[in-house]
Amino acid sequence: FGMASVARSEPISPDTLYRIASMTKPITSVAVMMLFEEGRIHLNDPIGNYLPELGDAQVIARDDSPDGYHLEPARNPVTVRHLLTHSSGYTYGEPEPLDELHREAGIPSGFTNTDDTIGAAVKRLGDVPLLFHPGEGWAYGVSTDVLGGLVEAVSGTTLDAFFEERILAPLGMADTHFFLPPEKVARLADVYTRRDDGALAHVESDYPYNGPGTLFMGGAGLCSTITDYAQFAQMMLNGGCLGGVRLLSRRAVELIRENHVGESTPMDRPGYGFGLGFAVHRDAGRSGDILPVGSYFWGGYWHTTFWIDPVEDLLAIKMSQVFPADHLDDHQALQALVYGAIDD
């Protein structure tokens, strides 16, 4: 339900396309786990083994100097596991002074449509310090973009080509793209923001169909439909296979949805941990949420979300195109509606 375009009075339909932003991250993480199962990488490998420019990381250390900080060598290397769990120390350029240092290094955000490539962006990231020593904190950021560079380095192909050949085509996800073909642009939902008076306002955005189309970020950038993304989520719910096609072993999926960050509190949400590319619900007594323990999920900048529940054997996907979406905060309400509808 809802409108894909208010101005055109165009209703949402099953083939409506959405910018899914950070819901790209789980797909990239699955690509990494596929390479892991093939023995081509190990979770505890230093990322510098594959991307040498990231091999000698520096860490921000606060002090009383005029700059307020100095740099010190990382106590341990950033590993593939650190990147999958956002415990690497890489951020999206916050807090200060990382914002300025990211700008100076020319690090694009997950939504920047430039003539860059992920390989070039990752090389420049080698000039940016970490927020904390790897494995000693949790911070959301460009870790999954680095994993996109890892997939390219190990596979020898571009991330979009790897996705298409190894994940999207096998799962029948024909409407999932980094950059939309011209004939599909009309199916892309409009983007809206909330004005100060509470009304929704349309935002002009030619992402993701104009420009050179060379930046395939592992952490953001895909467009998809609800029905396409359901194929991916169903594969995970099935333990790594769908329709006779197996992408991951059952054991790999179980490893993905384990908590890998100890007692850290990702997203500042008590009762939650973080697996290999997905947040995981681990303690309902602390979270107070109805979502069954063991469920795993993620969302995107434009107010999209999904979760996979192996306890009740269900998945849910919600798409919208609104930013910022803090005023909506309806994910938990949606979960209450879904589980309240179960009649045993």
Side-chain angles (χ1 to χ4, degrees), residues 73-131:
R75 285 193 281 266
N76 40 71
V78 173
T79 67
V80 176
R81 187 197 302 266
H82 292 145
L83 295 165
L84 284 164
T85 57
H86 293 284
S87 58
S88 65
Y90 289 117
T91 75
Y92 273 128
E94 62 274 323
E96 295 181 354
L98 286 172
D99 53 350
E100 181 178 350
L101 295 173
H102 270 238
R103 284 196 299 272
E104 290 176 353
I107 303 301
S109 71
F111 319 114
T112 302
N113 190 9
T114 71
D115 59 358
D116 217 338
T117 65
I118 187 60
V122 167
K123 287 181 180 179
R124 294 198 302 276
L125 191 63
D127 296 327
V128 175
L130 308 176
L131 178 62

Side-chain angles (χ1 to χ4, degrees), residues 239-256:
C241 63
L242 180 72
V245 174
R246 179 166 292 281
L247 270 60
L248 293 171
S249 70
R250 174 183 55 80
R251 183 67 196 108
V253 173
E254 291 171 348
L255 182 62
I256 283 171

Side-chain angles (χ1 to χ4, degrees), residues 235-283:
M235 177 274 296
M236 296 296 293
L237 183 61
N238 291 350
C241 63
L242 180 72
V245 174
R246 179 166 292 281
L247 270 60
L248 293 171
S249 70
R250 174 183 55 80
R251 183 67 196 108
V253 173
E254 291 171 348
L255 182 62
I256 283 171
R257 57 187 181 89
E258 292 280 350
N259 176 43
H260 288 260
V261 295
E263 295 305 312
S264 294
T265 306
M267 311 160 291
D268 294 322
R269 292 179 64 180
Y272 286 88
F274 210 87
L276 302 177
F278 301 72
V280 295
H281 190 204
R282 52 192 298 254
D283 189 337

Side-chain angles (χ1 to χ4, degrees), residues 262-313:
E263 295 305 312
S264 294
T265 306
M267 311 160 291
D268 294 322
R269 292 179 64 180
Y272 286 88
F274 210 87
L276 302 177
F278 301 72
V280 295
H281 190 204
R282 52 192 298 254
D283 189 337
R286 292 182 61 204
S287 70
D289 289 343
I290 198 170
L291 188 69
V293 169
S295 300
Y296 52 113
F297 62 93
W298 203 237
Y301 178 80
W302 311 102
H303 199 57
T304 62
T305 191
F306 76 98
W307 77 85
I308 301 168
D309 172 3
V311 176
E312 297 290 350
D313 190 30

Side-chain angles (χ1 to χ4, degrees), residues 7 10 31 38 46 51 110 138 140 163 179 218 221 227 243 255 261 321 324 334:
E10 180 184 327
E38 293 170 0
L51 302 171
W138 193 92
Y140 195 47
F163 278 4
F179 296 94
T227 47
L255 182 62
V261 295
Q321 298 283 267
L334 175 63

